[in-house]
Amino acid sequence: MVPTPNYPKPLHDYHPTKTKPRSLNPKTRKDTSTTLDQSITMILHKQISAGKGTIKSDLALTGGTVVNVNTKELLRADIAVKDGIIVGLGDVSDKIGDNTEIIDVTGKFVSPGLIDGHVHYESSMVTLTNFAGAAIRHGTTGMIIDPHEIANVLGKPGIELVLSEIEDLPSSVFVMIPSCVPSSSLETAGAVLDAPTVAQLLYQDGVIGLGEVMDFPGVLAADPEKLDMIEEALFLGKRADGHCPGMTGSDLAGYLCSGITSDHESLMYDEAIEKARMGMAVMLREGSAAKSLREFVPRLVQDGIGLNSFFFVSDDRHPEDLIAGYMDTHVRTAIELGIDPIEAISMCTINTARHYRIDHLIGSISIGRKADLVVLDDLRRFVINRVFVGGAANSTSTPMYPAEVFDTVRFKRIHPESLYLKSDTEVEANIIVAIPDVIFTDWRIETLHPTNGVLYPDPKRDILSIAVIERHGRGGGCEGCGDGDCDDNTGNEDRVGAEGIGRGFVSGFGIEGGAFAQSIAHDSHNVIVVGTNFDDMALCANEIRAMRGGIAVAYDGEIMGGIALPFAGLLSAGSVESVDAKLRGLHAMMQELGCVLPSPFMTLSFLALPVVPRLKITDMGLVDVERQEIVDVCR
Amino acid sequence: MVPTPNYPKPLHDYHPTKTKPRSLNPKTRKDTSTTLDQSITMILHKQISAGKGTIKSDLALTGGTVVNVNTKELLRADIAVKDGIIVGLGDVSDKIGDNTEIIDVTGKFVSPGLIDGHVHYESSMVTLTNFAGAAIRHGTTGMIIDPHEIANVLGKPGIELVLSEIEDLPSSVFVMIPSCVPSSSLETAGAVLDAPTVAQLLYQDGVIGLGEVMDFPGVLAADPEKLDMIEEALFLGKRADGHCPGMTGSDLAGYLCSGITSDHESLMYDEAIEKARMGMAVMLREGSAAKSLREFVPRLVQDGIGLNSFFFVSDDRHPEDLIAGYMDTHVRTAIELGIDPIEAISMCTINTARHYRIDHLIGSISIGRKADLVVLDDLRRFVINRVFVGGAANSTSTPMYPAEVFDTVRFKRIHPESLYLKSDTEVEANIIVAIPDVIFTDWRIETLHPTNGVLYPDPKRDILSIAVIERHGRGGGCEGCGDGDCDDNTGNEDRVGAEGIGRGFVSGFGIEGGAFAQSIAHDSHNVIVVGTNFDDMALCANEIRAMRGGIAVAYDGEIMGGIALPFAGLLSAGSVESVDAKLRGLHAMMQELGCVLPSPFMTLSFLALPVVPRLKITDMGLVDVERQEIVDVCR
């Protein structure tokens, strides 16, 4: 299943069914005497002819009831499709020819394809193409992605690769440019997206705005770098997404004054409604991590709030959740909770498209829009019968990725000694406390006793060793390092430790033996490893090094299991089902090791995020998040 | 009142209260390492500080009930304004300082400023600045203008002048670029806006799309010139407005396939609702000419149609109507006809702003948006108490216009003989029949008898002479012609007639003596003159020549009255009240002359429009509109 490594095709290749009117580079167009490409005019000519019925359609769905989100009606109407575009709605008999495939959907409903208004698809651990393929099964044909993780590893070329990948997808994927890469200066990221780089990316075709500006303190402090990014997006008529959990009152007003017009981080209903009233598009989030529909929707219904400013997002979707459902779940839940079905569907289609200013392309069953259609057996229960994407069946070609994206996990081979924390005396140690299913941590202080000058983990007291190894080829690794053993490091672990490895202790996992590690570690995605002993920890780290990214579990000197995530060290090249199966196996192993956390890999991935309280660890060491400074393990 | 002629300031001058995020030229910005202007960052810094309350507001409206179109609620909330931007909503006490002006609006409602979604402001016969000033009194603070008439006379520089003028207006004016200039090749216009020129204008700041594509046959025939314009607009994320009266079914589908997404020309309710269902934004028009609210609104209410895709427009506003009311009339009428007040206000604010993708700037009482506010004594009757534009009182500075715009009516002095139609024998003549208050005409054939080889008008049979004189300095005029008598023409009327004057006969006005003329004559705005005798006709034409544009009425060798419209030959430099008073005087004169039409100048202005049936006249002669060809007066 690993795609043939190859360089992607040029970014601005024309793709009639998806990005028709946005597909040429403005740079080459402005102030020239010739205007549009002849090919676009020819395609439009064909499309107009198909609308008029002088060229016949490829596909007609007949006998169904259309969910018309433009007028909020259920309407008996046939639908005609030519080249992936809706060209007829109502009586389409004059558009049906000998070669038109007619599909009878009598007794069924036809909804516009659902849109996820905000998702970091990387949490699915599969490629965008495989993610989009899995999404289609759940009626989700549109996605506004913020490839924040890809950006942290691969930088601008990674975003450009994503922009290239979406050109060939049957789904309608649009990109928000990550605004906070890296999230902090207290870790080593794979890339930096500064304001000029973000500005260049904002001009690209398929890009519809600036990704959530998580650095809300920066915005409130009027950080020129962040304001530049926001203004660049608005200048282009695109959106700037917000991220302001718990923010209300004057701070919220200050944040909105920057030009940001959306948020998906509301914790409480009162906060969400205040944001909507102040003029934000409020994204109702129901993802694998955060869930808010059951909290917010009944209140919205009860208070009779107008819902035009609200739409549905997932933010993230883990493999098992993506298999179980996607935006169809949002619609189904919203209807269950009392929202009218047409309105619920609008909140997952036209509201999203209008907000992101792509309603001329997707978000409704309208003439000239992409034929992303969901045939339903039942409207209120949103039972999906069949999904059309651009009018075509779910056909996904395997994309060609450049070889570089499979070679991003680069660090020197780890020796157990590289992970030692040394002390000649008893110490009071700062210890990270992992908490089940939240991304912040607690902070505990314990006395540790050295053995032969080394501070060993103490599983009996639930004190495990933790380390973060820089893996972007700086400090912790070496450029061009071969596959074989790399012995540069032997006997020189102090140097490696000083430059490329952050070391500390963690509590909360509860494993009694072995170790586990992964190359998913927000936001810089260095390799993070936790264990009851240094040998197993080194084994795990080296396994990830060999796999060029992934997750590994070891016990007693042996690798018990793992999953390769070679794409940027974040994504599998396989299907979501294969990833899910392997993850289930790894979770079972963790339970066998005595792990008490329900989602240890998820929890582990956030222990390195130095912008969410309280005590975290990066390749530079322990981070006191409130003070934004590195602290010593030993007080 | 004539402004000092002067050249306008540069187009992209920064204006914080109106076009904040769209005010720099993309051309100079792209792919540079520096991004935004420091001044924008500084202004934003101040704005964010005002939102946070660390800088105090200029203005606070306290105690009122806000019409919140975001959530469709009526909410008790105070409003704080800094530098024309809303920076507080709700409790704004921390934003009030010693220098904050506090206005108590207890017991009153506060609505977002109303927006006219589509207007050719030139039909008001006053400058944009004076138009906007008059509009404010009626709570109308936003206008999407399509300066089609200015474009026909002044071309690209005229549009650029408009773009310059809006920068200094307190109101929020946005421009759609006229797409059909000239409307026909069967007349001599002042300018041509071809696709490359339109493309250049579409890139400009303050421009939000392509104006109504009236050439719907061209679109349906996939005319590359028109498709180029549409695709250029969509490519920039801007809108392309439609114009498709009476169009339904497959023609409508074909038209929509071009990428056009709006229309304001529906004649019947069923047509309007079909357009909305197919995915068009349907503009409900109530202007000085066409009116549709009383026809459409009760049906929309009765059928329970979702109204997000509908918004209000005027299309045109004559002086007397602009004095009497503006978009407030639309809202009031809609409420009377059964639409909920919050929804009716939404249809004149947020719906319009969302469609045109300027909802981050105007259209709601939201943080970070322009403080265009209407204080109401009564919500249901929409009784206006006071209007704030960008938070400021209605302060309009007199703009500086370049001298050229006051020198656009250029033709050689007309001698009565220039207007003769000659024949040595009795003829069967094609005669235009003007019809009250519609823009199409009828076509009648009458026998005419020459006197001394000249076909004179015959008022007793209601057969008047009509002529259209090219006035853009080509053929009918001469470049650089002075103010004094121009005798080039003497004894050479045939040449002038052949090149620059179209001559014919018209029926329907009913005047028994005298003549009248004007330089408003759609779409090319040549000088059009009608009369019972050639002497009075020549007198009128020369009066307009002397005034550099306007309307004139003559009787028995004397000018009875007139109004100077020196700005492009279309607009007065005076107030709408002064224009209205003069127009009333001219209408009274016309009645005295025996005119039977209620709006003779309006009717006359459309007799030259060669794209609306049936028989019209241009400077090139009589036009058979269906056949799109010049026909002889004598059959």
Side-chain angles (χ1 to χ4, degrees), chain A residues 41 44-45 48 52, chain B residues 179-180 183 213-228 230 243 247 254-255 258 260:
Chain A
T41 306
L44 275 181
H45 190 160
I48 291 168
K52 288 192 295 182
Chain B
S179 60
C180 300
S183 69
V213 187
M214 289 176 280
D215 181 14
F216 53 83
V219 173
L220 286 175
D223 172 9
E225 177 97 353
K226 289 288 169 271
L227 296 187
D228 270 9
I230 295 168
H243 168 116
M247 202 187 270
Y255 191 66
S258 69
I260 284 169

Side-chain angles (χ1 to χ4, degrees), chain A residues 125-352:
Chain A
M125 298 187 200
V126 294
T127 61
L128 182 55
T129 298
N130 286 346
F131 179 81
I136 288 170
R137 280 171 253 155
H138 305 293
T140 310
T141 57
M143 275 149 292
I144 317 299
I145 65 168
D146 177 345
H148 179 71
E149 321 310 340
I150 293 285
N152 267 284
V153 176
L154 294 170
K156 187 172 177 238
I159 304 291
E160 288 169 339
L161 180 64
V162 165
L163 288 169
S164 168
E165 188 166 5
I166 64 175
E167 291 280 317
D168 278 335
L169 289 178
S171 301
S172 306
V173 182
F174 297 89
V175 175
M176 303 294 283
I177 301 302
S179 60
C180 300
V181 178
S183 69
S184 164
S185 59
L186 297 178
E187 60 180 336
T188 306
V192 175
L193 292 188
D194 58 8
T197 307
V198 166
Q200 283 167 24
L201 287 167
L202 281 169
Y203 274 91
Q204 303 272 337
D205 190 25
V207 171
I208 58 171
L210 182 70
E212 49 176 328
V213 187
M214 289 176 281
D215 181 14
F216 51 85
V219 173
L220 286 176
D223 172 10
E225 177 97 353
K226 289 290 170 270
L227 296 187
D228 270 10
M229 293 180 185
I230 294 167
E231 288 308 299
E232 192 74 41
L234 300 190
F235 167 74
L236 291 167
K238 300 182 178 185
R239 290 289 188 182
D241 273 354
H243 168 115
C244 50
M247 201 187 271
T248 60
S250 287
D251 273 354
L252 183 57
Y255 191 66
L256 261 88
C257 279
S258 69
I260 284 169
T261 49
S262 68
D263 178 67
H264 60 270
E265 293 287 344
S266 289
L267 306 172
M268 311 294 288
Y269 174 76
D270 286 347
E271 175 193 345
I273 200 75
E274 182 178 349
K275 286 172 179 170
R277 286 170 177 160
M278 280 198 182
M280 280 189 143
V282 171
M283 307 181 187
L284 298 173
R285 176 170 60 178
E286 187 89 352
S288 290
K291 297 180 200 298
S292 61
L293 257 59
R294 287 181 195 281
E295 167 85 12
F296 292 176
V297 169
R299 294 288 304 278
L300 288 169
V301 173
Q302 184 187 313
D303 294 353
I305 302 298
L307 295 171
N308 289 342
S309 299
F310 296 82
F311 58 89
F312 297 135
V313 308
S314 76
D315 206 0
D316 68 348
R317 205 77 193 165
H318 299 163
E320 62 178 18
D321 295 325
L322 183 57
I323 292 168
Y326 194 16
M327 299 312 290
D328 54 336
T329 316
H330 291 66
V331 173
R332 211 173 287 128
T333 306
I335 296 171
E336 271 169 28
L337 295 172
I339 294 183
D340 172 79
I342 302 176
E343 192 72 35
I345 290 171
S346 297
M347 292 170 77
C348 211
T349 56
I350 187 84
N351 289 13
T352 324

Side-chain angles (χ1 to χ4, degrees), chain B residues 140-309:
Chain B
T140 309
T141 57
M143 276 150 292
I144 317 298
I145 64 167
D146 178 345
H148 179 71
E149 321 310 339
I150 293 286
N152 267 284
V153 175
L154 294 170
K156 187 173 177 241
I159 304 291
E160 287 168 340
L161 179 64
V162 165
L163 288 168
S164 168
E165 188 166 5
I166 65 176
E167 291 280 318
D168 278 337
L169 288 179
S171 302
S172 307
V173 181
F174 297 89
V175 175
M176 304 293 282
I177 301 301
S179 60
C180 300
V181 177
S183 69
S184 163
S185 59
L186 297 178
E187 59 178 336
T188 306
V192 175
L193 292 188
D194 58 9
T197 306
V198 165
Q200 285 167 24
L201 287 167
L202 281 168
Y203 273 92
Q204 303 272 337
D205 190 25
V207 171
I208 58 171
L210 182 71
E212 51 177 326
V213 187
M214 289 176 280
D215 181 14
F216 53 83
V219 173
L220 286 175
D223 172 9
E225 177 97 353
K226 289 288 169 271
L227 296 187
D228 270 9
M229 293 181 185
I230 295 168
E231 288 309 300
E232 192 73 42
L234 299 190
F235 166 75
L236 291 167
K238 301 181 178 185
R239 292 288 190 182
D241 274 353
H243 168 116
C244 50
M247 202 187 270
T248 61
S250 288
D251 273 355
L252 182 58
Y255 191 66
L256 261 88
C257 279
S258 69
I260 284 169
T261 49
S262 69
D263 178 67
H264 60 271
E265 292 287 344
S266 288
L267 306 171
M268 311 292 289
Y269 174 76
D270 286 347
E271 174 193 347
I273 200 73
E274 182 178 349
K275 286 172 178 170
R277 286 170 177 162
M278 281 197 182
M280 281 187 143
V282 171
M283 306 181 188
L284 298 173
R285 175 170 60 179
E286 188 89 353
S288 290
K291 297 180 200 298
S292 62
L293 256 59
R294 285 179 195 282
E295 165 87 13
F296 292 175
V297 170
R299 292 288 304 277
L300 289 168
V301 173
Q302 183 187 315
D303 294 354
I305 301 299
L307 295 172
N308 289 344
S309 299

Side-chain angles (χ1 to χ4, degrees), chain B residues 455-490:
Chain B
L455 295 165
Y456 284 92
D458 184 355
K460 291 207 175 62
R461 293 161 67 200
D462 190 21
I463 296 172
L464 308 183
S465 275
I466 185 168
V468 174
I469 304 157
E470 194 284 316
R471 61 92 156 177
H472 299 290
R474 303 187 188 92
C478 60
E479 302 253 349
C481 186
D483 272 326
D485 278 3
C486 170
D487 294 327
D488 294 353
N489 196 16
T490 312

